[in-house]
Amino acid sequence: MKFDFLIVGSGLFGATISCILKAKGKKCFMIDKRSHIGGNVYTESINGINVHKYGAHIFHTSNRLVWEFVNSFVEFNRYTNSPVANFKGKLYNLPFNMNTFYQMWGVTTPKQAAEIIALQKKESGVANPKNLEEQAISLIGKDIYYTLIKNYTEKQWGRKATELPAFIIKRLPVRFTFDNNYFNDRYQGVPIGGYTKLVERMLDGIEVRLNSDYFEDLDYYNSISDKIIYTGEIDRFFNYCFGHLEYRTVHFETQLLYGVENYQGNSVVNYTDAETPYTRIIEHKHFEFGKQPDTVISKEYSKEWKLGDEPYYPVNNDKNSKLYFRYKELAEKQDKVIFGGRLAEYKYYDMHQVIEKALMMADFLL
Ligand code: FAD
Ligand code: UDP
């Protein structure tokens, strides 16, 4: 065998694990079917602005080792995510906090806000939330649910909020302080110079072949290494033998606005009404506090995935979870192949979780 490991996919899972394996003297070879490295965190420079090609990516973690790991390749800035929601022209702060409660109800104290939420929760009669709608109302009441959650969620997932799992909305903090930080994690930021630079440095010294689909030359790729680390879709690996897992895909309408220095004053503005066809607008320069004379914005549209589209979000409802476990059973019987990352594990992982898992997997393999 020419290599100890073939790594299929140059996203953060593949990049992290190969970087550690290489540092321990293992011979690694990486392929990616895209024309660039980095998977979904890939950024490209347009007029000096690092554009998050596959959507807004903000790094956050409470794991010091993960934070130190990424900072050993590139410096991170102090960016703190504070998206704003636009509902029919009125702006609200996110995540749900005292600023939002003031904007929604005019309340100025945590006690007043908590009373309104408790009353709305009681009126809804939800005791044991079983889906996203019930979970949201019992966390935050019906006014915020109908203004900031229901339409956005249904646009993003293409399903009724009553048909979605409750855990999705538990990602968002609810705070009774005036704090617009979207995350609770101890560390947060964006790599100065973009994520591509981070991944390039992680892959330093590793042979990478782009525009190469594992399945297009399966016998060859299987023959060149002892072990394979696979980070693509798990159902594709098994030729969809049990059927297709569902994903949501997104597409971006990106525009370079010449002579516009500041389009929306924030990197992320969510459109939480049902009529606006996109879910959010990203203004990329604000991730790195850019002062360029122009700006780049991306309108993000969400739609159901079909074969040939990029899979972005696994749809972790009951039906897909059951199907995934059937594939997982097959995966566990593969001696030569290790499955890891958002697509191969069919999990709604954030970047820090993917890195954490890859570091653990590298330890295990070594
Ligand atoms: P990917 O990045 O998907 O990489 C998989 C790679 O494998 C791809 O490059 C693909 O081309 C390649 N591949 C697949 N099949 C094959 C094949 N057959 N042959 C060769 N190559 C193949 N996380 C955060 O922490 N903060 C955020 O703010 C955040 N925002 C997000 C916004 C959006 C819109 C999305 C979709 C995700 C966001 N995430 C965020 C999550 C983050 O993108 C993922 O956790 C992370 O990128 C997953 O890395 P990965 O290596 O598992 O997968
Ligand atoms: N969400 C919402 N309104 C918003 C932002 C988020 O209802 O303005 C819901 C939506 O269901 C989304 C979930 O909260 O899927 C998690 O949001 P997050 O911003 O973490 O989603 P991601 O960054 O993964 O797109």
Side-chain angles (χ1 to χ4, degrees):
M1 295 288 178
K2 264 176 85 182
F3 298 97
D4 298 309
F5 291 95
L6 168 76
I7 297 102
V8 181
S10 64
L12 279 180
F13 192 94
T16 304
I17 200 160
S18 36
C19 158
I20 302 290
L21 293 172
K22 188 205 157 235
K24 297 287 180 188
K26 301 291 178 195
K27 283 180 74 187
C28 297
F29 181 61
M30 174 177 276
I31 56 170
D32 199 301
K33 64 181 177 185
R34 292 180 182 170
S35 60
H36 59 74
I37 57 166
N40 282 354
V41 306
Y42 173 70
T43 48
E44 72 178 2
S45 175
I46 301 183
N47 276 27
I49 298 165
N50 289 314
V51 171
H52 294 208
K53 191 78 193 291
Y54 299 89
H57 277 77
I58 300 97
F59 200 94
H60 56 98
T61 182
S62 293
N63 183 328
R64 192 168 52 84
L65 287 179
V66 169
W67 184 242
E68 284 171 359
F69 177 72
V70 291
N71 276 271
S72 70
F73 300 101
V74 52
E75 198 182 336
F76 277 61
N77 67 19
R78 60 150 189 86
Y79 179 82
T80 301
N81 198 29
S82 308
V84 168
N86 182 324
F87 181 76
K88 303 187 184 213
K90 184 161 182 209
L91 299 182
Y92 297 87
N93 287 110
L94 293 172
F96 315 118
N97 73 85
M98 281 305 296
N99 290 307
T100 331
F101 308 145
Y102 172 68
Q103 290 146 353
M104 183 68 62
W105 301 307
V107 293
T108 54
T109 67
K111 184 166 178 283
Q112 292 167 330
E115 278 168 7
I116 296 183
I117 293 171
L119 181 68
Q120 295 196 353
K121 185 179 164 178
K122 194 169 164 217
E123 281 170 1
S124 74
V126 176
N128 286 315
K130 285 180 293 301
N131 55 51
L132 194 150
E133 175 167 304
E134 292 183 1
Q135 181 67 63
I137 292 177
S138 76
L139 273 176
I140 202 75
K142 68 169 183 3
D143 289 345
I144 289 185
Y145 173 68
Y146 285 109
T147 314
L148 301 179
I149 299 177
K150 181 179 161 56
N151 304 314
Y152 183 92
T153 295
E154 295 187 346
K155 280 196 287 188
Q156 178 173 355
W157 294 99
R159 286 160 178 74
K160 292 209 172 338
T162 47
E163 291 161 14
L164 286 164
F167 82 86
I168 293 178
I169 200 67
K170 287 200 224 153
R171 287 167 58 87
L172 302 192
V174 177
R175 291 196 196 104
F176 290 88
T177 51
F178 291 90
D179 177 0
N180 296 328
N181 182 352
Y182 203 58
F183 303 113
N184 282 326
D185 282 319
R186 180 153 178 195
Y187 310 104
Q188 185 173 170
V190 165
I192 299 172
Y195 286 90
T196 304
K197 187 163 134 193
L198 166 71
V199 179
E200 258 164 24
R201 294 198 175 162
M202 291 167 94
L203 294 179
D204 190 29
I206 294 166
E207 199 179 329
V208 184
R209 188 180 290 170
L210 297 173
N211 302 304
S212 305
D213 189 325
Y214 173 63
F215 299 103
E216 281 181 3
D217 214 346
L218 204 53
D219 292 340
Y220 169 70
Y221 289 128
N222 286 343
S223 73
I224 59 170
S225 71
D226 284 333
K227 290 235 178 266
I228 295 170
I229 294 166
Y230 176 79
T231 72
E233 299 109 286
I234 189 167
D235 51 349
R236 171 68 187 96
F237 186 92
F238 294 106
N239 220 0
Y240 309 108
C241 61
F242 300 134
H244 288 268
L245 287 163
E246 293 172 306
Y247 299 89
R248 288 297 284 174
T249 191
V250 279
H251 80 272
F252 298 94
E253 228 174 68
T254 296
Q255 291 168 275
L256 167 59
L257 303 177
Y258 289 104
V260 178
E261 213 188 305
N262 186 2
Y263 174 76
Q264 62 181 14
N266 206 28
S267 44
V268 184
V269 177
N270 293 355
Y271 285 79
T272 59
D273 62 300
E275 293 74 29
T276 307
Y278 41 86
T279 48
R280 47 191 168 187
I281 299 183
I282 303 164
E283 187 172 11
H284 300 268
K285 69 192 307 182
H286 297 307
F287 290 119
E288 296 187 57
F289 313 106
K291 296 276 178 282
Q292 298 86 347
D294 311 314
T295 198
V296 178
I297 60 163
S298 299
K299 291 181 178 157
E300 181 173 333
Y301 297 82
S302 183
K303 64 178 173 75
E304 200 64 18
W305 175 90
K306 57 176 179 9
L307 211 57
D309 291 339
E310 287 290 352
Y312 277 83
Y313 293 96
V315 182
N316 292 114
N317 57 17
D318 275 355
K319 177 180 151 206
N320 289 312
S321 300
K322 283 189 187 125
L323 186 53
Y324 167 67
F325 278 106
R326 295 183 71 194
Y327 283 118
K328 187 166 180 263
E329 268 176 23
L330 289 187
E332 280 163 0
K333 292 185 191 131
Q334 296 276 324
D335 291 339
K336 190 178 160 112
V337 187
I338 294 114
F339 294 76
R342 210 181 225 215
L343 301 172
E345 295 179 64
Y346 198 65
K347 278 215 177 71
Y348 194 179
Y349 279 143
D350 277 332
M351 292 181 276
H352 61 290
Q353 295 166 317
V354 162
I355 292 176
E356 214 168 84
K357 291 285 285 207
L359 291 173
M360 278 160 49
M361 182 55 78
D363 258 4
F364 173 78
L365 292 171
L366 289 162

